[in-house]
């Protein structure tokens, strides 16, 4: 007969609570876990903010930016998911990617949140390769179109 598995109290990647034998209010834990998965599954955040928005609705996910205040104080870098009228916080793990809808840019978590900056288009120089400059500009625009670089 197989040996019984010993599960931790939370999932390793999102910290979502797990059910255990004889647990009271199992539906609360299960609903919280499913809501967290639902918010993170799409890989998007509404925006990166320092304070919780007053009009957030259940299921919305935000990245908490530096100098956080109010309910989000000391939660910088975490993801905040609105569940049941309250906030559930998720610590990002290495390699997590999200798309920030407000910024129109992809973010990567690698010992902190990183966003790619578009390189400066070449200007001047001793030898000017107009074809290469055209291709380079088109490549930068293509990366902007998919959210790797912002328009700024």
């Amino acid at each position: 007969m197989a040996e019984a598995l010993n599960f931790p109290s939370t999932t390793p990647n999102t910290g979502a609570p797990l059910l255990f034998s004889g647990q009271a209010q199992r539906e609360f834990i299960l609903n919280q876990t499913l809501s967290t998965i639902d918010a993170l599954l799409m890989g998007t955040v509404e925006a990166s903010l320092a304070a919780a928005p007053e009009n957030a609705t259940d299921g919305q996910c935000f990245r908490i930016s530096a100098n956080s205040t109010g309910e989000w104080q000391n939660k910088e870098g975490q993801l905040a998911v609105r569940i049941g009228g309250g906030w559930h916080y998720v610590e990002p793990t290495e390699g997590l990617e999200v798309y920030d809808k407000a910024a129109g840019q992809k973010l990567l978590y690698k010992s902190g949140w990183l966003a790619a900056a578009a390189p400066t288009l070449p200007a001047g120089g001793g030898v000017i390769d107009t074809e290469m400059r055209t291709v380079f500009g088109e490549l930068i625009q293509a990366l902007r179109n998919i959210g790797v670089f912002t328009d700024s």
Side-chain angles (χ1 to χ4, degrees):
M1 177 163 216
E3 191 173 317
L5 297 175
N6 185 15
F7 288 103
S9 60
T10 61
T11 61
N13 295 314
T14 64
L18 293 172
L19 299 174
F20 57 89
S21 180
Q23 179 177 18
Q25 296 186 333
R26 287 185 295 264
E27 65 280 358
F28 175 81
I29 298 299
L30 181 61
N31 289 342
Q32 179 184 6
T33 300
L34 291 173
S35 295
T36 301
I37 291 168
D38 180 66
L40 298 177
L41 185 63
M42 296 306 297
T44 61
V45 295
E46 300 297 321
S48 297
L49 303 173
E54 292 181 19
N55 57 349
T57 59
D58 280 356
Q60 287 187 312
C61 185
F62 296 86
R63 183 181 70 94
I64 303 173
S65 60
N67 303 315
S68 60
T69 61
E71 294 178 82
W72 290 358
Q73 189 166 7
N74 300 320
K75 303 275 188 199
E76 288 91 356
Q78 294 183 31
L79 300 178
V81 180
R82 190 73 171 179
I83 300 174
W87 293 106
H88 176 74
Y89 303 100
V90 177
E91 283 280 350
T93 57
E94 293 291 305
L96 178 66
E97 289 183 60
V98 296
Y99 178 76
D100 185 318
K101 292 179 186 178
Q105 184 171 31
K106 291 183 181 187
L107 302 168
L108 171 69
Y109 189 83
K110 186 176 178 185
S111 300
W113 288 103
L114 303 172
T120 304
L121 289 172
V127 176
I128 298 174
D129 184 339
T130 55
E131 290 84 13
M132 183 60 195
R133 287 186 183 191
T134 300
V135 169
F136 190 66
E138 290 171 354
L139 176 60
I140 290 172
Q141 187 57 50
L143 293 171
R144 280 189 176 114
N145 292 344
I146 63 168
V148 174
F149 302 137
T150 61
D151 290 328
S152 55

